[in-house]
Amino acid sequence: MKIDRTILKSLPLFERMTDADLDSMLQHASPRRIVPGDAVFEQGARAKSFFLLLHGRLKVTQVTQDGQQIIVRMVHPGDLFGFAMALRREDYPGTAVAAAESLVIAWPTDMWPRFVEQNPRLAVTAMQTIGQRLEEAHTRIREMSTEEVEKRVAHAVLRLSKQAGRPVETGIRIDFPISRQDIAEMTGTTLHTVSRILSAWEAKGMVEGGRQKLTVTDPQKLLNLADGIRD
Amino acid sequence: MKIDRTILKSLPLFERMTDADLDSMLQHASPRRIVPGDAVFEQGARAKSFFLLLHGRLKVTQVTQDGQQIIVRMVHPGDLFGFAMALRREDYPGTAVAAAESLVIAWPTDMWPRFVEQNPRLAVTAMQTIGQRLEEAHTRIREMSTEEVEKRVAHAVLRLSKQAGRPVETGIRIDFPISRQDIAEMTGTTLHTVSRILSAWEAKGMVEGGRQKLTVTDPQKLLNLADGIRD
DNA sequence: GGAAATCTTTGATGTGGCGCAAACTGGCTG
DNA sequence: CAGCCAGTTTGCGCCACATCAAAGATTTCC
């Protein structure tokens, strides 16, 4: 399979690169199609490659010693992933699993310095990306520290609808299969509690649930709840 | 006050730089002494500078809308801070307060690209630094999601003793004034709970407490507890 | 040295949400 | 179409931890 450079060029990450540089990057790229449930890489494995998600949706998970799993973050189309740590670490700190049919491009890890050299802006952009992720992580830490479960779930759902929302008749539909378990692992709670919360919201007409489905029907109410505004 | 370049050179961050480059960086540097309780910068303020901590200890905090405070991370000597976000953001996402008498160097934010250009290794190192911080943040998210309070506190104390520990006769002393409130804000709990936990530990001979003081007397027991090994 | 301010300890009480258990539902398979 | 399986819902009891309250302990300041 060949990848057209125009696809890359449409991404903010690469928009400033010359065609020649892009082509040279693509020479070392190997595309990979991932089916839902399959992993792009596994926690602890040697970091041989770094990746770009072209299409689909991934979740990056970590498991604790006692087997509990958490979702560290979602990967959306256009995101680089599996690279931040590769610079200092030898192994991947988490597992990247496809939540939907996905298409990724893989590059050998040792190509990274060369690409950066070729295009210093890439380094700056990459750094901004990590900086942003760090900030998101801190936001999440703050939420986990101070907010009760319902607010955290509200924030998570809003984030999902922003990053992966597709407008449908009744509202904004999360555009990939997502379970209560997933939401629980993103918010540090149990699927039971998430189920209860979503049921309550559904009764209030804020969301519409379903098996691996979620549609936000009243974003405003959800936002109020997330911001702690009682009604 | 003048800063000697040998101080910088002893830091991993700068060890590969030439004397000339270091001198040129130092020309734009302004040293600042901060007394405990004073802030280097405040959350929301325009990010005019980025900083290096030479000596002392800082805590980076964030406040939520409803006034609750959390400690995002500690800054230790040799750490760059207040820069990661400055690349994409205009303002500081948190407040940096001195926990002990501290000495920082400030550079104008707009110097950053120039320094990077002058010394590309700086960019790589900086990125590794942020990558590492991101990983730490994820670790903390995982802890907050899955672990109960006592284990989280154990992890926090162990981290502190590693990053800011000074050997004393009875064990490893945290080398700056730290209150139960601080530990609570690092672990997402209340000072009451932290106090209770530390009292219990003290009874078991694992730590020695005191007003703004903490000494780990039995790191092994603490480690076992943090790793979930019951005794 | 006494008073004020700050930090810490400890008790009593309440509750959010977890753990366990069981029933339910929609979708897929043979 | 029956049966199975993964995901979801819901009830109930309990416990870890927050909250409220108040009294010590240390340091600081006049």
Side-chain angles (χ1 to χ4, degrees), chain A residues 2-223:
Chain A
K2 279 207 78 179
I3 300 169
D4 195 279
R5 82 164 99 85
T6 54
I7 299 176
L8 290 192
K9 212 160 186 181
S10 69
L11 301 172
L13 191 61
F14 299 107
E15 62 190 353
R16 302 281 194 118
M17 281 180 84
T18 66
D19 288 358
D21 282 348
L22 278 174
D23 286 341
S24 105
M25 272 195 81
L26 284 175
Q27 266 174 22
H28 303 91
S30 23
R32 243 162 89 190
R33 193 178 301 280
I34 318 283
V35 300
D38 272 16
V40 180
F41 54 78
E42 307 253 3
Q43 183 171 3
R46 256 186 68 72
K48 296 196 299 275
S49 309
F50 66 94
F51 306 87
L52 174 70
L53 180 64
L54 279 188
H55 182 80
R57 209 68 64 166
L58 306 176
K59 42 187 178 185
V60 179
T61 64
Q62 284 187 0
V63 286
T64 61
Q65 289 155 335
D66 56 317
Q68 276 195 86
Q69 190 174 93
I70 67 147
I71 296 182
V72 165
R73 69 184 180 94
M74 299 297 305
V75 179
H76 307 280
D79 287 357
L80 276 182
F81 64 102
F83 78 114
M85 322 316 198
L87 297 177
R88 181 159 283 192
R89 294 183 57 119
E90 291 290 297
D91 55 351
Y92 297 111
T95 298
V97 178
E101 175 88 24
S102 297
L103 182 61
V104 308
I105 310 183
W107 285 278
T109 297
D110 48 27
M111 287 276 117
W112 177 257
R114 208 164 118 185
F115 292 155
V116 168
E117 207 174 315
Q118 225 170 56
N119 185 326
R121 272 202 61 83
L122 192 65
V124 175
T125 320
M127 198 152 133
Q128 288 178 346
T129 304
I130 309 186
Q132 213 170 19
R133 277 185 210 162
L134 183 58
E135 214 178 313
E136 281 163 21
H138 284 165
T139 300
R140 221 169 127 190
I141 290 175
R142 196 183 54 232
E143 286 176 8
M144 303 264 322
S145 300
T146 62
E147 291 175 0
E148 50 197 28
V149 173
E150 190 175 18
K151 278 178 100 176
R152 299 208 300 265
V153 175
H155 274 126
V157 170
L158 283 170
R159 232 169 346 238
L160 284 170
S161 78
K162 195 179 246 173
Q163 295 173 330
R166 183 170 47 84
V168 293
E169 325 87 83
T170 52
I172 302 159
R173 164 85 188 271
I174 310 286
D175 202 19
F176 63 92
I178 184 164
S179 68
R180 321 283 140 164
Q181 178 71 37
D182 289 332
I183 297 176
E185 286 173 11
M186 299 191 327
T187 51
T189 180
T190 61
L191 79 159
H192 308 276
T193 301
V194 171
S195 177
R196 270 179 253 270
I197 289 172
L198 291 184
S199 295
W201 288 354
E202 192 152 13
K204 289 187 198 159
M206 298 160 70
V207 300
E208 270 171 16
R211 192 192 177 78
Q212 311 237 67
K213 282 199 288 274
L214 191 56
T215 307
V216 178
T217 51
D218 192 338
Q220 190 53 52
K221 262 193 198 155
L222 209 50
L223 244 160

